[in-house]
Amino acid sequence: MSASSRPLLEVRHLATEFDTEQGVARALDDISFRLEAGETLGIVGESGCGKSVTSLSIMRLLPKPAGRIVGGEVIFDGQDLLQLSPDAMHGIRGNRIAMIFQEPMTALNPVYRVGHQLEEALLLHKPELDERQRRDACIGMLEKVGIPAPERRLKEYPHQLSGGMRQRVMIAMALLCDPDILIADEPTTALDVTIQAQILQLLRDLQRENGMSIIFITHDFGVIAEICDRVVVMYGGRIIEQAEILELFDHPLHPYTRGLLQAIPKLDTEPKSLLKTIPGMVPSLLDFPPGCRFQNRCEFAEPRCREETPPLLGEGHQVRCFRAEEFR
Amino acid sequence: MTWYFLRRLLLIVPTFIGITILVFVITRFVPGGPIERMIAEAQQASLQSGGGQQLGEGGQTLDEDQLRQLEEYYGFDKPVLVSYWEWLLKVLRLDLGTSTRYSEPVWDTILERLPVSAFYGIMTMLITYFISIPLGYWKAIKHNSHFDHASSFIVFVGYAVPSYVIGIILLVVFAANLEWFPMGGFYSEDFEDLDSFWQQAEDILYHAVLPLLAYVAGSFAVMTFMMKNALMDNLAADYVRTAIAKGLPFRKAITRHALRNSLIPIATHFGNNISVIIGGSFLIEKIFNIDGLGLLGYESVVERDYPIVLGVLVISAILQLLGNILSDICVAIVDPRVQFK
């Protein structure tokens, strides 16, 4: 893919703030990335690094009134989503950009039948379909996501399905209107490993079929490796590195990324040897150190890191570190 | 499901027997009773007639024979359980006995009061639901706003001040001083002369405004907060976020998704309300001079009119037991996860 052609989605200098009891927390700071048509972009980072807030900001689903977008642009299909009227945004959500979440156990409404909740998306975005067509579309989609006996499932309630089945229903619901982008916010985190593998395979298959782009949010590099074309690594509300998947795994540049990759246990490491970890804790969003946000945990930090914020530099493989050149 | 409710209905029988046997036995052992009351009345009467000559016979107004006749008449001559059995058999034939105070069938006395209590009970319940559900809804949506704080203040005052105090204040202000509403009663004295149904209805409602305010003031606090808290919980629920991510506007996500889940705790309460409400509050009935079941029950306890005490108990026990089952049915209707086996 060439960087010059217009991407499907381009996030530019996005900044988001949250009001908290202790003051205003900047949850996202200068987030910029591109998503090309048909590609899968991974966003990876620890809890609280802003990866979920990024997806909620794109969808304009931040919890109100605590959270708000304070700057930047989200250009989708030539228009800035942040400038759209609420009504126009309703037409985008679930239709052009759909989303699935981490907790399939609670993401479906317990008091409505699966069929009702599926059809709701069609009623909203494809009002021209009649009842029969809606039903057929739902059954077809449930079949596609690998749910056996879909006619029967339509009449069941969410509590009658297993966790993996529910996530499949969520995926079916998200894909009913054939969206351009699917944002998957840790969709496999709550599932056990075999189901996780099935869901990832399913997403890959569906993507091949309908050519959608996926933004895949996770804290699990293993999942990233399986599904993503490109990766954005976030720390403390900032992007600290982004690169093609193989490039990132082979030549991680930021000390944080390197630390994360080293912390993954490998099959060829000595059994019972000590796992490498990153020392210290992620500071709260309210008291990040000035300069580079990772400097207080970084073994390569130098005086300049405490004073200036390093810029995100590089073509293709971008990194936010003064000393990145030393690791290239 | 059917089997479950059938079993629940059958369980009413032993529960009912338990409740009534307890009260029946208590009425036997509590000091004072219809006979003692009659003796006292007779003494009163003879004192007032200025006589005193009959008092010569050992200070007794009634002789042994009359006493025994009375005991037999009230069934006090037999062991407790035997008379309970006889009473129960009569209840099964829908015969609740005769009031010792009014010498009228208990059924007639109760049926005379029941519509009054039912009117107030059902009106209170409807008004409470009509206020609480929308109010709780708005408070949840406007959480932490001026509207939320102001309405919370009013709700808490209504909850903290006993309803009979509210009743008295309403009476003093709106009936005595401003004379906007009548001082009490269920309807006017010329009620029978009112021509149309509408005039009669208007008369009843006119009398009902103040008592209903007193009833509602005490009862809508719990419901309002139950509604608000349930809705707040559900607004933060994942499935509401799913609904919005699907493209639903926020308001529709609430009304279509969060609202129904929030009604589950309200539905749980529904059956209990019925029995409590038809029983009425004797304090409010007393203040507003309304002849309802609450007042009847209270007065018969004071006057040791046991057939009426037991009659009111029968009605309220059955309502309570049916109300519980009704609650379960309501919950099963709104929440598909609930399954009775």
Side-chain angles (χ1 to χ4, degrees), chain A residues 56 59 61 90 93-94 97 99 101 103 106-112 117 120-121 124-125 157 159 170 173, chain B residues 237-250 252 255-258 260-261 264 334-337 339:
Chain A
L56 293 176
M59 289 288 266
L61 284 176
H90 297 148
R93 286 190 203 119
I97 307 180
M99 200 166 174
F101 300 98
E103 276 297 333
T106 52
L108 290 165
N109 191 334
V111 301
Y112 290 116
Q117 301 190 49
E120 200 169 27
L124 283 166
H125 302 298
Y157 289 97
H159 71 272
M170 284 296 292
M173 192 152 66
Chain B
D238 288 350
Y239 62 81
V240 170
R241 191 181 52 182
T242 305
I244 296 174
K246 214 192 280 184
L248 272 180
F250 182 62
K252 279 192 182 159
T255 49
R256 290 198 198 162
H257 287 270
R260 174 146 174 211
N261 281 283
I264 293 173
V334 288
D335 190 348
R337 284 167 298 180
Q339 277 186 335

Side-chain angles (χ1 to χ4, degrees), chain B residues 60-274:
Chain B
Q60 275 285 22
T61 46
L62 303 165
D63 60 34
E64 295 287 311
D65 246 17
Q66 285 173 304
L67 276 180
R68 208 168 307 117
Q69 273 177 358
L70 278 173
E71 279 184 357
E72 207 184 305
Y73 176 73
Y74 289 124
F76 290 158
D77 54 335
K78 300 181 195 99
V80 178
L81 288 181
V82 176
S83 12
Y84 174 74
W85 180 243
E86 285 176 358
W87 175 82
L88 194 62
L89 287 180
K90 271 165 70 184
V91 171
L92 288 182
R93 290 196 305 268
L94 297 182
D95 174 8
L96 290 174
T98 309
S99 160
T100 56
R101 193 156 54 116
Y102 302 109
S103 309
E104 272 177 30
V106 172
W107 255 123
D108 295 354
T109 320
I110 289 180
L111 280 185
E112 205 175 288
R113 314 288 180 101
L114 195 61
V116 177
S117 284
F119 168 78
Y120 276 105
I122 292 167
M123 288 294 279
T124 306
M125 192 167 74
L126 287 180
I127 296 173
T128 306
Y129 278 112
F130 270 107
I131 295 178
S132 301
I133 294 178
L135 185 62
Y137 173 90
W138 275 109
K139 284 172 72 66
I141 292 183
K142 303 270 170 206
H143 177 61
N144 254 336
S145 65
H146 290 303
F147 166 77
D148 184 32
H149 295 309
S151 57
S152 287
F153 179 76
I154 296 169
V155 168
F156 276 126
V157 168
Y159 185 59
V161 180
S163 53
Y164 62 89
V165 175
I166 294 178
I168 291 171
I169 294 173
L170 289 173
L171 256 191
V172 170
V173 176
F174 294 105
N177 288 342
L178 294 172
E179 293 185 16
W180 289 355
F181 294 103
M183 289 294 288
F186 187 58
Y187 42 58
S188 312
E189 277 166 16
D190 58 351
F191 183 73
E192 303 293 332
D193 303 331
L194 294 172
D195 307 323
S196 69
F197 167 79
W198 290 114
Q199 279 177 316
Q200 294 191 334
E202 196 190 320
D203 185 59
I204 288 181
L205 285 179
Y206 178 55
H207 282 77
V209 172
L210 294 184
L212 279 179
L213 276 175
Y215 271 121
V216 169
S219 61
F220 83 126
V222 175
M223 202 75 79
T224 302
F225 273 90
M226 196 156 35
M227 182 66 204
K228 182 192 171 185
N229 293 337
L231 192 56
M232 297 261 300
D233 283 349
N234 285 308
L235 285 185
D238 288 350
Y239 62 81
V240 170
R241 191 181 52 182
T242 305
I244 296 174
K246 214 192 280 184
L248 272 180
F250 182 62
R251 278 285 151 74
K252 279 192 182 159
I254 298 174
T255 49
R256 290 198 198 162
H257 287 270
L259 198 59
R260 174 146 174 211
N261 281 283
S262 310
L263 291 177
I264 293 173
I266 305 263
T268 324
H269 235 65
F270 180 70
N272 302 31
N273 278 343
I274 285 191

Side-chain angles (χ1 to χ4, degrees), chain A residues 36-95:
Chain A
E36 308 292 338
E39 87 168 331
T40 302
L41 175 74
I43 301 182
V44 70
E46 288 172 80
S47 306
C49 72
K51 51 193 196 299
S52 287
V53 176
T54 304
S55 65
L56 293 176
S57 299
I58 293 171
M59 289 288 266
R60 285 175 51 190
L61 284 176
L62 290 171
K64 281 179 200 163
R68 65 185 168 275
I69 295 165
V70 291
E73 293 171 316
V74 177
I75 310 292
F76 168 69
D77 201 15
Q79 50 190 347
D80 184 359
L81 291 185
L82 304 184
Q83 305 301 328
L84 284 186
S85 70
D87 270 346
M89 201 59 213
H90 297 148
I92 300 270
R93 286 190 203 119
N95 189 22

